[in-house]
Amino acid sequence: MLRVFATEAEVLALSPDAASSKAAKGLQSIRKWPSSGCDDQAVWGECQGSGSTPYQTQVDLSGPTFKCSCPSRKFPCKHGLALLLLRAQGLIAEGAPQPAWVTQWLNQRQEKAQKKAAQAAQAATPVAPQTGQEEKSTASASAVAAQRRVAKRWDNTESGLQELALWMQDMVTHGLATVGSDSATHQRWNTMKARMIDAQAPGMAARVEQAWQCVDSGPQWQNAVLRQLGHWQLVIDAVRRREQLAPEVLADVQAALGWPLDKATVIAQSSAQVDTWFVIGQRLIEREGRLLERHVWLQGNETGHTAWLLDYTQGGRGFDSAWLVGQGYRGALHFYRGASPVRAVAVDMQWCTAQMPCQAPAFMTPEPCGVAPCLHDLQQRIARNPLGMTQPFWCPDTHLLSASGGQWCMAWPDQGSHSAHTARVPVTIDDADAWQLLALGGGIPLTLFGAWEQGRWHILSAWTRTPPASPTTPQTLQLVWSHEAVLP
Amino acid sequence: MTHTIHIPTAKPASPPSTATTTEHHALPCAATLWAALQHSALIGVQRLPLPPALCLTPAQCAQYASTFNLSDPRTNDPSPDPSSAIAWALQAALCVNAQHPSEQLLRASAVAGVCEHAGWQPDPNLHSNVSIPEPAPPLQPARSVAHTLIPMLRHVLRNGPSLLQAYTLVTLHQHGRDWPPALLAQALDAGRQDTGLRALLLPVLGDRGRWLAQFNPAWRYACGVQSDANDAQIWEEGSITQRVAWLHSQRQRDPAQARMQLQTALAQLPAKERLPLVQALHVGLTNEDEPLLEQLLCDRSKEVRLHAAKLLSCLPDSAHSQRMCAWVRALLQHEQHDGAKAQWTIQAPEEADPAWQHHGVCMQPETHFKGGPRAWWLQELLAFTPLSFWHDTLGLEPEALVRWARHSDWKAPLLEGWLQALQTQHDTRWIAAVHMMPSNWRTEQVYRTLHEQLSSAQRQTLWLQRLHACSDGAAPLIRVLEPLLRNWPAGQLLSPALSQAVFARLMRTLSHCNDADADADVNADVNADAVPLHNATPRAIGPRAYSDWSGHQATGILLHSACTLADTEFEPFIAFLQQPGPEPSQSQSATPLPWQERNVASQIDHIVGLRRALHVALSTSTSTSSNH
């Protein structure tokens, strides 16, 4: 039996919202399912709803893809989730033959997939030589049109950023001490945020919001705001000098501005990196307007690369793929273009059934490792792309500690040493997460992974390291704890 | 200016040899520059212009660039002193053609911000007082539970019901397993609110739980409860809970020694601690404790005085008890009317005797007391009188005493006084008598206290008797099962014989309750438990019988039974509850069977899931783990 979606957490990761999770748990009784079955390919069942005919629910495990005859607009619906939950508990019998309605659907899906693959293959083949002059000219015409659109977008953004530049110059001319958190000021900041949206720079709008969060947030908040303003200045100057920038730096600037880039373009722009990718951290962030943002961090066993997947879902729809921290997935990643590529899109990821340990990044291999190479990796990433907001960061041989005032910090390992920890570094972690980490770790030194955001370190997972068998083989990591990316 | 912003190196370490190149630069250090920028931005460039040191001409900048050969940083490795490289970068940023000093300031801040971010180093002064604790002992696989149980354990901890929590914790403890570390934080939080849960939780916290509890002041209750500390350490330094627990066990081992230890310590103890420690004398109480208790009758704390009096009333030979008996005896009269058998009567005291106060009696009625001062005095006197006095003087058993009291003018103070006495005197002969008294929170509390004193055999006999005496029908059965299940020790299954009897009665009532013929059958073999029950179906139930089993109390009994029936009865009981109900016919409304209503059914599902899962998870590996 495939081990995919074998735990409650994995299944609930697919849930569109907390209400669906709860409803699905409510259906988690085999009595509510007059018939059910599963095999390696799919899970199916009939669930007695309020109507006279039971709903036919089926899940194609390869996706997973859900189909249900219920009228719910949520996707996946509670029935599909409940079916997977039951399966995770081992309550669905294997071995029964697929009913016709399941086989039919699976066949349809397979046909569709084949057709799509054929179309893709067709699109990928180079344009046949007999292509007429006419088509060439339409192609070049559309390219010109696209170029014109891009140029227009740059102009629009630049004029918006010009206003931003004047606004922040005004702020430092009169002094940040005069900025207050009153409603009139907030109004001005909101106007500027809206202006950034108009200027097609949603990334800058988010930065304006982030800086507003700093205002009046604590002692020396003006310094934090100045750092943000300096960061904006960097973007503004980069946009002015866009003609002179290297393509990958320009890509970083576009990413900072929040230009949309569809998956197909990313895949076309970069080559596939096939590897066994281990999920090393996951995080969900709720944004305005029922928008849910998911960060998934991956570590490649062969390439040693760290990748960051960022996807969104809106209006209570679930994510169409689930990731489980500590689990390996075999497949290809395409990295976004950039001076320090880290963001990627995943293609055709398959759950690794073979037992294989997650390998530590190559820079952690020398023993004793110490924090220096990890910090060096972080510095390199920031130096290459100062506009990047999120960076991966590992810290070996550390301890999570409860500091005064309900804060959490970690013991910073001294360079090249296992046991000495002189400094304490504040970290960002939920209380519930922190206590669970402590309970599972039991006070032994752990290797922590997290997302580094402008000096704040969000802890996402904790591991123990197994020293390598030989100096050339990498260290392996054993997951101790991970932040569970489920909605409250 | 107090800014001490620290701009560290952009490279992890600079080779020592390059340090010599720093001697000829005249730039202010990077940290000073950054601080100057921040200060200027705070006050406003308008009022506090950038310091002149920052404002170099483009020619000067070019000179610095050539000095450090920094024109192309990518080909310049190894770098010179990083600090001066940053300073140069800041200067260069300031020299870019700017329309206004504010733009210069922002541009320099951009450089400084990136350098600060990239060259981040920990602040050695932050939280420097937080030390690294000793690690916990490693987890023992034999004491761990299977990973697959965790979702269910999380669910039961979060959603209850409390009887299922109790069952889970007790079962884990019986199998020598610890609560899983992944859920320790939630469990410790839950135990903080709920003292009943806490008592069951403490034995399964394990080393890991006790280790974890030390870091959160809210979990102090769980710290070191089973610590390895020696006796002297616990007594001298332990928390009050630990000292009480220690005194309890010490009283069991060596009562005299324990009393002496307490006596020596008493003078230094605050009243808040004296009370629970004095209460611990209840364990192994003998006449030898009398002098100390007499002394405590003069304690500064009212609660301690009161409790000492109560403990003295547990010693019928004590001077205190003798005085109490004498006072109560004076209120009793043994009279004979018209040749009938002599009758005992009691009269409440006409006046209060100031001497009572020394013996624990409260002279003023409490504000909520319903009755006059005479009733109050009677009740108070009874509360401190040994119960044996009543048996000896009136020659009546507890049940007969209750019946006697019912005919008395002073019924309420008599019953209340005895209940109060029972709270300390724990005379289990009174259990049936308490059962006869009007049910209220106090009788239930006393009943529970007495029930806890019974041995498991006594407990079983008691309830088997009650079950057999119970007449047919849902309501009488509920009246017996309700106190049975409520008073049964938390988390423990019913004994096999009791479980069989409860199951038989439940099945008979549930499957035949509206069938007159069936009632007749049942009456024929009230004591025969071997009725073929396993093929019983709920079809015979009519609408009237539904109503008996719906409602909070009745469904609670079904749930409680599902939790506490022994394994042999559990599965058939669940099979019965989970089989589909009768098809709604025209004559019947479509309401589901009470135990198949959504809420109840889902709770039953959880009980079933958890019991089966625990059974599988704990029985498969018991061969490898030690059974406690």
Side-chain angles (χ1 to χ4, degrees):
Chain A
M1 181 173 136
L2 273 173
R3 284 278 303 154
V4 196
F5 312 112
T7 69
E8 191 183 79
E10 280 172 79
V11 176
L12 293 181
L14 300 167
S15 169
D17 52 28
S20 296
S21 305
K22 200 171 170 210
K25 284 184 184 175
L27 289 171
Q28 212 180 333
S29 159
I30 202 72
R31 283 190 298 129
K32 297 188 172 114
W33 297 81
S35 79
S36 65
C38 68
D39 55 25
D40 282 354
Q41 216 180 349
V43 196
W44 59 88
E46 289 183 302
C47 181
Q48 190 58 57
S50 47
S52 56
T53 47
Y55 299 129
Q56 296 186 325
T57 312
Q58 43 198 323
V59 186
D60 180 345
L61 290 170
S62 62
T65 315
F66 294 84
K67 186 179 158 73
C68 184
S69 61
C70 77
S72 167
R73 274 174 290 112
K74 295 224 174 124
F75 186 84
C77 67
K78 59 184 177 180
H79 305 103
L81 291 171
L83 204 53
L84 284 184
L85 285 174
L86 283 169
R87 179 173 166 272
Q89 291 194 327
L91 292 174
I92 295 193
E94 270 179 272
Q98 285 179 358
W101 51 276
V102 177
T103 318
Q104 199 185 350
W105 176 64
L106 289 174
N107 288 345
Q108 275 172 4
R109 277 184 46 75
Q110 215 161 10
E111 276 167 37
K112 250 188 225 167
Q114 277 163 1
K115 253 186 225 162
K116 215 172 161 187
Q119 275 172 359
Q122 218 171 5
T125 45
V127 183
Q130 68 264 31
T131 309
Q133 195 69 33
E134 207 179 292
E135 284 169 26
K136 249 184 201 168
S137 70
T138 46
S140 66
S142 71
V144 169
Q147 244 173 16
R148 207 180 295 144
R149 274 200 306 276
V150 170
K152 207 173 157 210
R153 182 165 185 140
W154 275 121
D155 288 346
N156 188 14
T157 300
E158 191 170 1
S159 70
L161 290 182
Q162 186 54 36
E163 278 181 47
L164 181 70
L166 290 175
W167 183 62
M168 58 197 238
Q169 283 174 23
D170 200 46
M171 264 194 275
V172 292
T173 303
H174 296 102
L176 293 174
T178 61
V179 176
S181 58
D182 55 290
S183 65
T185 315
H186 194 187
Q187 186 57 44
R188 280 198 294 280
W189 283 70
N190 271 343
T191 310
M192 189 45 74
K193 202 170 112 185
R195 180 71 189 88
M196 289 300 103
I197 300 281
D198 291 344
Q200 290 173 287
M204 291 310 290
R207 283 167 165 78
V208 171
E209 175 62 32
Q210 204 182 359
W212 171 251
Q213 300 299 332
C214 294
V215 170
D216 237 357
S217 60
Q220 304 207 341
W221 61 266
Q222 286 97 346
N223 289 350
V225 171
L226 182 62
R227 261 176 227 124
Q228 300 269 352
L229 299 187
H231 187 84
W232 301 354
Q233 183 68 41
L234 218 52
V235 178
I236 291 165
D237 282 343
V239 170
R240 280 184 196 147
R241 293 178 55 226
R242 62 183 178 274
E243 310 283 330
Q244 304 156 38
L245 299 178
E248 58 270 22
V249 178
L250 195 63
D252 285 336
V253 174
Q254 285 173 325
L257 292 170
W259 282 28
L261 202 54
D262 67 11
K263 221 173 146 172
T265 316
V266 177
I267 293 171
Q269 272 178 354
S270 68
S271 56
Q273 291 203 17
V274 179
D275 201 340
T276 303
W277 298 97
F278 274 89
V279 183
I280 51 174
Q282 194 172 191
R283 191 174 161 208
L284 285 182
I285 304 167
E286 271 186 289
R287 302 284 186 199
E288 275 174 67
R290 297 191 72 202
L291 186 68
L292 200 58
E293 186 176 306
R294 182 173 66 171
H295 297 206
V296 178
W297 292 94
L298 301 172
Q299 175 73 37
N301 252 14
E302 290 151 33
T303 58
H305 289 172
T306 307
W308 177 46
L309 309 183
L310 176 63
D311 53 2
Y312 298 91
T313 174
Q314 190 147 29
R317 203 182 176 281
F319 290 98
D320 50 10
S321 59
W323 300 93
L324 190 70
V325 181
Q327 174 63 40
Y329 296 80
R330 184 78 194 168
L333 288 186
H334 293 264
F335 281 86
Y336 281 64
R337 195 189 276 174
S340 171
V342 64
R343 191 176 165 192
V345 293
V347 183
D348 280 340
M349 281 289 184
Q350 293 296 324
W351 180 277
C352 286
T353 44
Q355 288 297 312
M356 191 189 314
C358 176
Q359 291 179 2
F363 56 77
M364 278 166 65
T365 294
E367 189 64 32
C369 166
V371 75
C374 303
L375 198 53
H376 183 67
D377 178 69
L378 177 69
Q379 288 162 346
Q380 294 293 312
R381 286 175 187 277
I382 295 168
R384 282 196 295 261
N385 177 17
L387 300 180
M389 299 294 272
T390 296
Q391 304 289 358
F393 182 61
W394 289 93
C395 183
D397 302 319
T398 182
H399 296 267
L400 183 71
L401 303 169
S402 165
S404 55
Q407 288 181 314
W408 294 93
C409 63
M410 53 177 268
W412 190 254
D414 287 350
Q415 203 155 314
S417 159
H418 265 310
S419 48
H421 301 82
T422 43
R424 303 282 177 261
V425 172
V427 294
T428 308
I429 185 167
D430 285 348
D431 278 352
D433 273 354
W435 291 119
Q436 195 182 38
L437 196 171
L438 272 187
L440 286 165
I444 58 165
L446 293 171
T447 295
L448 299 182
F449 173 78
W452 185 277
E453 290 182 353
Q454 310 274 323
R456 274 202 314 273
W457 196 31
H458 296 263
I459 308 284
L460 298 178
S461 57
W463 312 70
T464 50
R465 284 189 306 152
T466 316
S470 73
T472 48
T473 52
Q475 304 216 359
T476 55
L477 297 167
Q478 191 77 40
L479 184 69
V480 173
W481 166 88
S482 67
H483 167 69
E484 216 171 284
V486 289
L487 288 178
Chain B
M1 203 162 70
T2 56
H3 298 276
T4 51
I5 303 303
H6 157 69
I7 299 198
T9 64
K11 299 275 175 183
S14 58
S17 59
T18 57
T20 51
T21 60
T22 58
E23 63 203 7
H24 57 134
H25 77 88
L27 285 169
C29 85
T32 317
L33 286 179
W34 188 205
L37 290 172
Q38 288 174 333
H39 201 61
S40 214
L42 182 68
I43 307 295
V45 182
Q46 206 178 24
R47 268 172 287 178
L48 185 71
L50 294 174
L54 276 172
C55 306
L56 299 185
T57 64
Q60 282 171 308
C61 271
Q63 192 199 333
Y64 277 113
S66 62
T67 311
F68 295 120
N69 191 17
L70 281 175
S71 50
D72 185 1
R74 275 172 294 187
T75 60
N76 183 44
D77 203 42
S79 64
D81 173 45
S83 182
S84 51
I86 293 166
W88 176 82
L90 280 171
Q91 298 284 1
L94 288 164
C95 295
V96 174
N97 206 9
Q99 287 156 354
H100 192 269
S102 60
E103 198 178 354
Q104 280 187 308
L105 170 76
L106 288 166
R107 210 163 270 147
S109 302
V111 173
V114 173
C115 290
E116 185 187 46
H117 190 198
W120 178 91
Q121 290 282 328
D123 178 352
N125 301 318
L126 207 65
H127 299 307
S128 52
N129 55 342
V130 182
S131 58
I132 300 173
E134 282 294 308
L139 295 174
Q140 299 169 32
R143 295 195 62 84
S144 306
V145 294
H147 210 70
T148 48
L149 274 181
I150 289 180
M152 283 192 169
L153 296 180
R154 180 187 288 130
H155 185 275
V156 72
L157 183 67
R158 197 179 288 167
N159 304 308
S162 55
L163 50 112
L164 193 56
Q165 291 175 342
Y167 169 76
T168 309
L169 294 171
V170 169
T171 309
L172 286 178
H173 181 52
Q174 283 168 348
H175 285 82
R177 305 306 175 92
D178 291 335
W179 187 253
L183 304 175
L184 270 174
Q186 289 103 308
L188 286 164
D189 271 341
R192 200 183 141 198
Q193 315 284 344
D194 180 345
T195 45
L197 183 70
R198 182 189 293 187
L200 301 170
L201 189 61
L202 289 174
V204 296
L205 283 177
D207 288 333
R208 189 57 61 94
R210 286 188 290 277
W211 176 84
L212 187 66
Q214 66 179 312
F215 304 115
N216 189 340
W219 300 338
R220 197 151 284 158
Y221 71 87
C223 282
V225 165
Q226 293 168 14
S227 116
D228 304 335
N230 63 36
D231 288 1
Q233 276 174 321
I234 297 174
W235 184 241
E236 302 287 328
E237 298 155 28
S239 68
I240 183 66
T241 336
Q242 281 177 313
R243 282 150 69 201
V244 169
W246 181 84
L247 194 64
H248 264 277
S249 56
Q250 184 71 0
R251 281 288 287 185
Q252 276 159 354
R253 284 194 299 264
D254 186 351
Q257 172 68 22
R259 182 185 58 246
M260 260 139 47
Q261 236 156 339
L262 176 63
Q263 199 159 7
T264 341
L266 272 174
Q268 286 95 47
L269 293 174
K272 222 167 122 188
E273 296 190 357
R274 279 202 306 280
L275 181 66
L277 289 168
V278 167
Q279 280 171 334
L281 289 176
H282 202 292
V283 180
L285 189 70
T286 61
N287 286 333
E288 290 175 24
D289 299 315
E290 197 186 340
L292 173 61
L293 291 172
E294 279 289 342
Q295 178 195 326
L296 286 168
L297 282 178
C298 308
D299 194 88
R300 292 189 302 280
S301 153
K302 187 186 165 199
E303 277 76 24
V304 173
R305 289 198 302 269
L306 196 71
H307 207 81
K310 290 213 160 175
L311 286 174
L312 283 168
S313 70
C314 295
L315 301 169
D317 302 331
S318 67
H320 172 271
S321 292
Q322 298 298 326
R323 292 292 301 275
M324 294 308 300
C325 290
W327 280 321
V328 175
R329 181 68 186 79
L331 304 173
L332 282 165
Q333 282 169 318
H334 199 227
E335 289 171 351
Q336 204 166 11
H337 296 287
D338 310 330
K341 208 179 152 200
Q343 291 270 328
W344 284 99
T345 53
I346 191 162
Q347 289 301 322
E350 298 282 348
E351 278 182 351
D353 180 344
W356 294 345
Q357 195 159 11
H358 177 73
H359 290 74
V361 171
C362 176
M363 308 299 271
Q364 291 298 317
E366 282 171 4
T367 44
H368 59 264
F369 182 72
K370 289 185 218 134
R374 292 184 63 199
W376 173 258
W377 293 325
L378 179 62
Q379 177 183 314
E380 282 286 297
L381 287 174
L382 260 63
F384 296 96
T385 307
L387 287 161
S388 56
F389 163 81
W390 299 95
H391 314 150
D392 299 345
T393 312
L394 275 70
L396 295 174
E397 287 303 302
E399 288 99 318
L401 281 169
V402 172
R403 276 193 293 272
W404 170 76
R406 277 179 186 160
H407 300 295
S408 163
D409 295 341
W410 302 97
K411 174 186 158 191
L414 282 172
L415 296 184
E416 184 64 25
W418 286 331
L419 283 172
Q420 289 196 16
L422 278 166
Q423 270 184 332
T424 324
Q425 297 185 35
H426 297 177
D427 188 338
T428 53
R429 285 175 296 175
W430 277 73
I431 197 157
V434 174
H435 191 65
M436 288 163 62
M437 294 186 194
S439 174
N440 58 40
W441 70 270
R442 165 118 38 215
T443 43
E444 280 173 19
Q445 192 189 20
V446 171
Y447 194 84
R448 190 172 176 84
T449 312
L450 295 183
H451 197 266
E452 279 167 10
Q453 312 298 319
L454 295 178
S455 71
S456 50
Q458 285 174 318
R459 210 175 277 149
Q460 174 176 315
T461 317
L462 171 77
W463 292 110
L464 280 175
Q465 277 171 358
R466 293 262 161 88
L467 269 178
H468 286 311
C470 150
S471 56
D472 274 296
L477 183 62
I478 289 173
R479 274 198 300 276
V480 174
L481 288 184
E482 200 276 326
L484 192 176
L485 296 169
R486 182 159 39 79
N487 289 305
W488 199 254
Q492 287 183 24
L493 296 181
L494 299 178
S495 63
L498 193 53
S499 175
Q500 272 171 23
V502 168
F503 173 68
R505 288 303 293 254
L506 270 173
M507 296 301 280
R508 205 147 57 203
T509 318
L510 286 173
S511 50
H512 301 282
C513 45
N514 201 33
D515 189 329
D517 296 339
D519 277 351
D521 285 349
V522 169
N523 287 334
D525 51 14
V526 155
N527 292 325
D529 293 331
V531 187
L533 296 156
H534 297 264
N535 47 15
T537 66
R539 252 185 291 283
I541 295 187
R544 184 178 66 82
Y546 283 169
S547 59
D548 284 337
W549 286 102
S550 57
H552 188 67
Q553 193 192 32
T555 51
I557 287 193
L558 294 177
L559 291 174
H560 218 134
S561 307
C563 274
T564 43
L565 281 174
D567 287 336
T568 39
E569 281 75 38
F570 168 69
E571 290 292 344
F573 182 59
I574 293 306
F576 173 84
L577 290 185
Q578 291 194 339
Q579 63 185 304
E583 286 295 314
S585 68
Q586 283 169 341
S587 62
Q588 285 177 358
S589 59
T591 46
L593 297 170
W595 55 91
Q596 291 183 351
E597 273 167 22
R598 231 178 111 148
N599 266 339
V600 184
S602 88
Q603 290 199 55
I604 292 176
D605 285 349
H606 278 122
I607 294 170
V608 173
L610 192 75
R611 277 194 70 166
R612 285 188 187 149
L614 278 173
H615 189 76
V616 170
L618 300 178
S619 62
T620 46
S621 44
T622 36
S623 52
T624 56
S625 73
S626 59
N627 257 344
H628 283 227

